[in-house]
Amino acid sequence: MFTVYFDLETGGVEPHHPTIQLAAIAIDVLGVEAGWFEQKIAFQESDADPEALQINHYNREAWKDAISPSASAARLSQWLRPYASVSLTSKRTGRPYNVARIAGYNAVSFDLPRLRAMFDGSFFPCEYLCRDVLQRALFYFDEHPELEKPYNFKLSTVAQWFGLSADGAHDALADARLSAKLHRAIQERL
């Protein structure tokens, strides 16, 4: 069984802002990274918030080989195949098929809708139930009211509260890895 932690970087937080980077890592049952995926996504700079691009380390040279959102989704779908460890049965055909178990930080409300949109009606190779590490962190602090909470619940802040380095934050691959490490750190404290 694998869990695929994913992250998207965007050219702003509003729905009309473009998705500019997609990354994922596959973690096995022992907590070992079994593989990684990273893709820069082509977009129009004029559609993005300049502040967001600066935060997300955007520069034209790094994005010179960027590809369309749909091509990025197709590449991700191909990469996910060895990590598709959730068995489902088609309601239409009755045939079994596998999809990937996914997780991320603030993924349910932010990243997952954007990821689904990238597939634009084509087969979504992931389980629709996404494990959200932000929600697990919130529950952790609810379960331990004696602890002083982080001053905010951004990924880097919560990770640092748990003693993790947030170097490279706002890079999709770094954030996917940080989400997995944070999830493990919370589990180890239970």
Side-chain angles (χ1 to χ4, degrees):
M1 178 68 67
F2 294 96
T3 300
V4 174
Y5 291 82
F6 77 103
D7 188 68
L8 301 175
E9 294 302 329
T10 62
V13 296
E14 299 298 324
H16 67 274
H17 288 130
T19 299
I20 67 170
Q21 186 187 21
L22 165 63
I25 61 167
I27 301 293
D28 70 16
V29 293
L30 300 175
V32 175
E33 185 175 319
W36 63 272
F37 173 90
E38 189 275 334
Q39 182 63 60
K40 305 284 194 289
I41 300 170
F43 68 98
Q44 295 294 318
E45 285 184 38
S46 59
D47 293 339
D49 177 344
E51 273 186 58
L53 294 180
Q54 185 176 15
I55 289 169
N56 292 325
H57 316 291
Y58 171 75
N59 69 67
R60 287 186 185 123
E61 180 61 23
W63 263 257
K64 71 179 179 177
D65 296 323
I67 61 176
S68 72
S70 61
S72 297
R75 283 190 180 176
L76 176 68
S77 185
Q78 182 72 24
W79 178 82
L80 283 170
R81 286 187 180 160
Y83 310 114
S85 53
V86 177
S87 296
L88 300 174
T89 302
S90 171
K91 290 181 184 175
R92 231 174 3 125
T93 67
R95 292 184 185 156
Y97 65 99
N98 290 343
V99 294
R101 169 175 286 155
I102 57 173
Y105 194 87
N106 195 25
V108 170
S109 63
F110 189 79
D111 298 82
L112 185 58
R114 286 175 172 269
L115 182 62
R116 284 184 183 156
M118 288 175 63
F119 282 85
D120 193 28
S122 61
F123 175 71
F124 185 63
C126 303
E127 190 177 27
Y128 277 89
L129 299 173
C130 178
R131 280 81 178 152
D132 198 318
V133 180
L134 169 60
Q135 294 301 314
R136 186 62 198 104
L138 292 170
F139 275 111
Y140 177 82
F141 287 104
D142 288 347
E143 294 158 359
H144 299 281
E146 73 282 2
L147 297 175
E148 185 176 334
K149 294 178 184 175
Y151 63 91
N152 67 42
F153 278 86
K154 293 179 180 178
L155 172 59
S156 57
T157 306
V158 177
Q160 288 171 339
W161 190 98
F162 279 91
L164 302 171
S165 170
D167 290 346
H170 299 290
D171 171 80
L173 186 56
D175 286 355
R177 286 183 170 132
L178 189 55
S179 295
K181 288 177 186 174
L182 176 58
H183 187 208
R184 189 163 201 59
I186 294 169
Q187 287 176 302
E188 289 172 352
R189 287 195 179 212
L190 296 178

